């Protein structure tokens, strides 16, 4: 990654994406954020983020944003649906981002998914699976599309998300059986540490707080060092 290249961030308006935006700017990285609505644009611009309006569900919007003059090195996506959404972007929105990244010659793609997608489905209780199964199936489709895309990828699956300040106890693991909670700021820090880290290339990693585990507590931590 060069000093002239940008990180393209989808999902920066709220949640983990907003925390990643802050983390990237703390590292003095150049960031372009795709926003569906401009309600938080001024707040992001105030910390030095370039904002482009567009809907991840519209491929033309995504291609226009990614194929602009600035060279994009990495795409980071945290997009996911809200209960009120008529069409959730978990798969179609991420598919558009992945396809546009391939077309633009982007090098890397970091996808923030969820524990319960793919082979981590076994970590969930039957009750959680019943409540989240439809959404997780969409997230799994997005993961599979990314893996098949040819992009260098990192898939990070957080556990249950909390909004408290970072604890510094967020960890990654390749063990798909692990389930627990993690604060959004800790997820953001882990994502930023994966950026430009070859150890994280083409890995699927669950993210939990080592002090907020449910059930099984023995597992191998994935080292980024």
């Amino acid at each position: 990654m060069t000093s002239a290249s940008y990180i393209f961030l989808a999902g920066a308006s709220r949640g983990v994406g907003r925390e990643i935006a802050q983390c990237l700017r703390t590292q003095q990285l150049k960031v372009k954020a795709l926003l569906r609505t401009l309600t938080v644009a001024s707040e992001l611009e105030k910390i030095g983020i370039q904002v482009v309006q567009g809907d991840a569900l519209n491929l033309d919007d995504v291609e226009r944003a990614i194929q602009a003059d600035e060279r994009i090195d990495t795409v980071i996506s945290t997009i996911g649906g809200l209960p009120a959404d008529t069409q959730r972007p978990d798969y179609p929105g991420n598919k558009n981002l992945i396809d546009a990244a391939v077309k633009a010659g982007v090098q890397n793609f970091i996808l923030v998914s969820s524990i319960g997608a793919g082979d981590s489905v076994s970590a969930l209780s039957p009750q959680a699976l019943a409540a989240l199964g439809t959404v997780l199936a969409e997230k799994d489709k997005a993961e599979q599309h990314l893996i098949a895309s040819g992009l260098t990828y990192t898939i990070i699956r957080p556990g249950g998300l909390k909004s408290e300040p970072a604890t510094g106890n967020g960890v990654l693991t390749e063990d798909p059986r692990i389930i627990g909670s993690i604060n959004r700021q800790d997820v953001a820090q882990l994502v930023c540490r994966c950026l430009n880290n070859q150890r994280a290339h083409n890995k699927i990693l669950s993210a939990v707080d080592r002090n907020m585990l449910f059930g099984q507590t023995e597992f191998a931590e994935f080292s980024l060092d």
Side-chain angles (χ1 to χ4, degrees):
M1 182 173 173
T2 69
S3 59
S5 57
Y6 277 71
I7 308 297
F8 187 91
L9 178 59
S13 63
R14 59 186 173 88
V16 171
R18 187 69 173 274
E19 299 293 349
I20 291 172
Q22 295 275 6
C23 183
L24 293 172
R25 287 302 296 146
T26 299
Q27 296 181 16
Q28 300 297 305
L29 294 169
K30 295 180 179 178
V31 182
K32 179 192 278 192
L34 179 72
L35 296 181
R36 184 170 52 180
T37 62
L38 297 179
T39 49
V40 299
S42 61
E43 295 169 42
L44 294 175
E45 289 169 343
K46 202 174 293 182
I47 62 171
I49 290 176
Q50 180 182 338
V51 170
V52 58
Q53 186 172 15
D55 189 341
L57 290 170
N58 184 319
L59 182 58
D60 289 341
D61 283 1
V62 176
E63 288 187 346
R64 186 185 73 252
I66 291 182
Q67 293 179 359
D69 294 338
E70 306 86 356
R71 180 177 174 275
I72 304 295
D73 178 86
T74 301
V75 173
I76 301 174
S77 175
T78 69
I79 63 171
L82 293 169
D85 289 345
T86 52
Q87 183 181 9
R88 293 186 61 105
D90 300 84
Y91 172 61
N94 278 312
K95 180 181 186 298
N96 287 342
L97 288 163
I98 294 162
D99 292 346
V102 171
K103 190 173 179 180
V106 171
Q107 298 297 307
N108 305 300
F109 198 110
I110 299 177
L111 175 64
V112 178
S113 181
S114 176
I115 287 179
D119 62 355
S120 66
V121 66
S122 61
L124 295 190
S125 67
Q127 295 88 341
L129 191 56
L132 301 172
T134 303
V135 174
L136 293 171
E138 292 290 290
K139 291 185 182 295
D140 180 52
K141 284 166 66 177
E143 290 185 8
Q144 294 305 314
H145 192 71
L146 176 56
I147 291 166
S149 70
L151 293 166
T152 298
Y153 65 85
T154 304
I155 295 169
I156 296 178
R157 297 168 172 167
L161 293 166
K162 297 186 172 186
S163 296
E164 284 81 7
T167 66
N169 293 315
V171 295
L172 298 170
T173 180
E174 292 185 89
D175 190 333
R177 300 168 297 171
I178 291 301
I179 183 73
S181 296
I182 185 168
N183 293 350
R184 288 178 172 86
Q185 284 187 3
D186 287 300
V187 177
Q189 290 177 11
L190 291 170
V191 169
C192 291
R193 288 184 63 205
C194 286
L195 197 64
N196 303 320
N197 190 317
Q198 291 190 357
R199 290 184 59 82
H201 286 177
N202 300 327
K203 295 290 186 181
I204 302 175
L205 303 164
S206 294
V208 291
D209 188 299
R210 62 166 63 92
N211 296 327
M212 301 184 200
L213 299 171
F214 310 151
Q216 178 189 339
T217 55
E218 296 294 321
F219 67 97
E221 292 184 18
F222 181 83
S223 174
L224 292 169
D225 300 323

